[in-house]
């Protein structure tokens, strides 16, 4: 579906769905395969998608849940909430919060000047961020956080595989890292 500026709402699509518009909300639910959204200056809501989801947007909130495939969000100045993503997730935005919970694979976030909160991540976590806090809870893989002028807090690590690495860098902010009991670690500060 292509529109210059109409509000788009679709549901119960059995195959792939491609949605393109500007300036008005986009809502998609119960998609039977992959979902692609291009919504400049649009709010985006998608739920219950059987395949991969790709979102390109700007300036308005992106809300995604119950995605059975991979997730990729490329946005500018939009807040992003993602919940219950069965596979890996990659999110890029600026100036607004990113909140993710229950990611079934690796998580990559690049959020300049916005907070990042991530909970219940089954794979490796890679985050680049500036000027706002990063909070990670219930992770199960390697952790790589590059932050600037902001605190980084990592707690409630579920598991830390033997080959996992934790690399956290920040300037002008504290690093708080709580490792699982019995973890052997070499710390370099």
């Amino acid at each position: 579906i292509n529109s210059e500026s109409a509000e788009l709402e679709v549901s119960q699509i059995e195959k792939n769905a491609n949605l393109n518009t500007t300036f008005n909300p986009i809502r998609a639910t119960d998609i039977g395969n992959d979902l692609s959204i291009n919504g400049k200056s649009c709010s985006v809501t998608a739920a219950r998608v059987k395949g991969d989801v790709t979102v390109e947007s700007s300036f308005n909130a992106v809300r995604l849940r119950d995605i059975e495939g991979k997730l990729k969000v490329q946005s500018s100045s939009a807040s992003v909430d993602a919940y219950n993503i069965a596979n890996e997730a990659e999110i890029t935005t600026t100036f607004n919060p990113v909140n993710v919970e229950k990611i079934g694979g690796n998580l990559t976030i690049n959020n300049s000047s916005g907070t990042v909160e991530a909970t219940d991540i089954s794979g490796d976590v890679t985050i680049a961020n500036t000027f706002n806090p990063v909070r990670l809870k219930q992770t199960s893989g390697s952790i790589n956080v590059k932050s600037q002028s902001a605190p980084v807090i990592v707690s409630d690590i579920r598991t830390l595989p033997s080959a996992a690495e934790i690399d956290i860098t920040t300037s002008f902010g504290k690093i708080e890292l709580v490792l699982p009991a019995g973890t052997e670690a070499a710390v370099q500060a």
Side-chain angles (χ1 to χ4, degrees), residues 13-94:
I13 306 292
E14 292 182 18
K15 298 190 179 195
N16 293 343
N18 296 301
L19 309 175
N20 301 287
T21 193
T22 56
F23 303 110
N24 280 294
I26 299 173
R27 289 181 294 282
T29 56
D30 300 308
I31 307 299
N33 207 343
D34 295 346
L35 172 63
S36 175
I37 295 175
N38 187 340
K40 301 225 184 317
S41 298
C42 298
S43 63
V44 174
T45 304
R48 298 183 304 278
V49 178
K50 300 274 187 206
D52 296 345
V53 173
T54 303
V55 176
E56 291 185 41
S57 71
S58 57
F59 302 111
N60 287 295
V62 176
R63 308 286 178 253
L64 307 160
R65 65 179 302 119
D66 303 324
I67 310 299
E68 293 184 23
K70 297 176 185 176
L71 172 64
K72 183 172 184 177
V73 176
Q74 179 71 43
S75 188
S76 176
S77 300
S79 63
V80 178
D81 291 331
Y83 176 76
N84 196 25
I85 312 302
N87 210 308
E88 66 187 49
E90 181 181 343
I91 299 168
T92 301
T93 192
T94 54

Side-chain angles (χ1 to χ4, degrees), residues 111-122:
N111 186 14
S112 179
S113 300
T115 61
V116 173
E117 293 199 22
T119 303
D120 193 4
I121 312 303
S122 294

Side-chain angles (χ1 to χ4, degrees), residues 155-171:
S155 62
D156 301 326
I157 295 174
R158 280 196 312 242
T159 60
L160 195 58
S162 60
E165 294 184 7
I166 297 176
D167 185 359
I168 300 172
T169 305
T170 191
S171 60

